[in-house]
Amino acid sequence: MKWHEDLYAGKSIRRRLWKVKWKIVHNAGQIRVYVITFSSNEKNLLDIIPSRELLQKHYPKKDLYVIGLAGNYKEAVELAAYIVSEVYQATGGFDVRSYIRQKGKLNT
């Protein structure tokens, strides 16, 4: 799993962002947290994944690029919409993957 250097965060999670990230990396349970990643297929822009799914033993976490965290599903949808809107305003297109990679480095 790789993490975007300038991670997007929902309002409810900003104060505890480092703690939530640590718990996700170390497979500690985060019931209401949602992870926003690059899409798993070319037809979508982003994926919103409940962090509890990442606890599954065989979940393919290795290929995930996390770009945002949110405290609930509604906040995750709003954050994903904000990211897509930012990309569109900056580039006039919807190539989220290229924009995010140019904006900041991906790190582990």
Side-chain angles (χ1 to χ4, degrees):
M1 183 179 317
K2 297 186 186 215
W3 294 82
H4 189 273
E5 185 177 278
D6 188 20
L7 200 62
Y8 291 90
K11 290 179 184 178
S12 69
I13 210 166
R14 285 188 187 139
R15 290 188 324 210
R16 56 190 178 105
L17 183 62
W18 67 271
K19 187 175 185 178
V20 170
K21 181 180 173 182
W22 186 90
K23 285 185 173 187
I24 290 172
V25 168
H26 292 90
N27 289 324
Q30 294 286 297
I31 296 172
R32 294 181 184 95
V33 174
Y34 286 80
V35 177
I36 300 171
T37 67
F38 289 141
S39 66
S40 55
N41 66 45
E42 296 176 10
K43 294 182 181 182
N44 298 333
L45 299 175
L46 298 169
D47 285 341
I48 298 174
I49 304 167
S51 64
R52 64 184 175 268
E53 284 188 21
L54 301 177
L55 296 174
Q56 295 178 21
K57 187 176 181 180
H58 297 290
Y59 195 88
K61 293 189 293 187
K62 186 177 182 180
D63 297 329
L64 291 181
Y65 292 99
V66 179
I67 58 174
L69 294 172
N72 57 55
Y73 184 74
K74 181 182 177 191
E75 190 174 73
V77 171
E78 291 171 356
L79 188 58
Y82 172 79
I83 294 168
V84 171
S85 174
E86 180 182 307
V87 171
Y88 183 74
Q89 289 176 3
T91 66
F94 295 102
D95 191 0
V96 175
R97 198 176 296 251
S98 294
Y99 175 78
I100 296 294
R101 285 192 170 143
Q102 287 175 351
K103 183 180 175 189
K105 299 174 187 171
L106 292 172
N107 60 16
T108 54

